[in-house]
Amino acid sequence: MRYGLCVPCLGEFADPRQVAELARRAEESGWDGFYVWDHVVFPFAALEVADPWVLLTMVAAATERVTFGPLVTPVARRRTGALARQTTSLDRLSGGRLVLGAGLGFTGRTPVGQPDAAAATVDAIAAAGATWWLEGFHPGPGQYEEALRRVTAGPPRADSAPGGDARKKE
């Protein structure tokens, strides 16, 4: 069994240097993972909210062994191309330790312009997966089945997608 920490990206944990130091200490103490919330705003209190990708970049730079990532990124809220580039770059920076927790998220409403949050999430994951693993294929809305078919065929390299070969190192 493995154990990890999950910290908010708000309040006292909005300082990237403080989060990086906490991740370093967690790794030093034997924890296996370090994860941060993915919030743009926090509607329940007036707290500073940090960008989770900045925090995760600091975690990647401050650690060498722990897996890390967002818990949970509502992918339909993100721009698919930017999410794919952020995750790919961060995974490469960390040597394959990024774990992307992807889901619907909760805002009390569906994403802007999306009547079905689940379908929008599947589309976004498929499009990001196609960006991670495929060259020359840029799926649009409603093309997730084709993207999923291509993605499940497998990446051309073990290190080309978030999670890469990190699971094989043990």
Side-chain angles (χ1 to χ4, degrees), residues 15-26 28 34 58 62:
D15 180 346
R17 288 176 295 260
Q18 185 170 333
V19 171
E21 176 61 17
L22 182 59
R24 186 191 65 73
R25 288 182 178 189
E28 209 173 72
F34 192 91
M58 294 293 287

Side-chain angles (χ1 to χ4, degrees), residues 84-159:
R85 293 284 58 90
Q86 288 167 327
T87 54
T88 300
S89 296
L90 193 50
D91 194 61
R92 287 182 179 154
L93 171 69
S94 70
R97 296 181 291 130
L98 177 67
V99 176
L100 176 62
L104 298 177
F106 175 76
T107 62
R109 58 191 164 107
T110 58
V112 176
Q114 298 291 337
D116 183 352
T121 298
V122 170
D123 276 350
I125 291 171
T131 303
W132 293 321
W133 292 325
L134 306 171
E135 292 182 18
F137 179 68
H138 305 285
Q143 292 183 301
Y144 64 85
E145 287 182 10
E146 173 63 11
L148 287 175
R149 185 188 65 73
R150 292 183 184 206
V151 165
T152 55
R157 296 187 333 264
D159 66 345

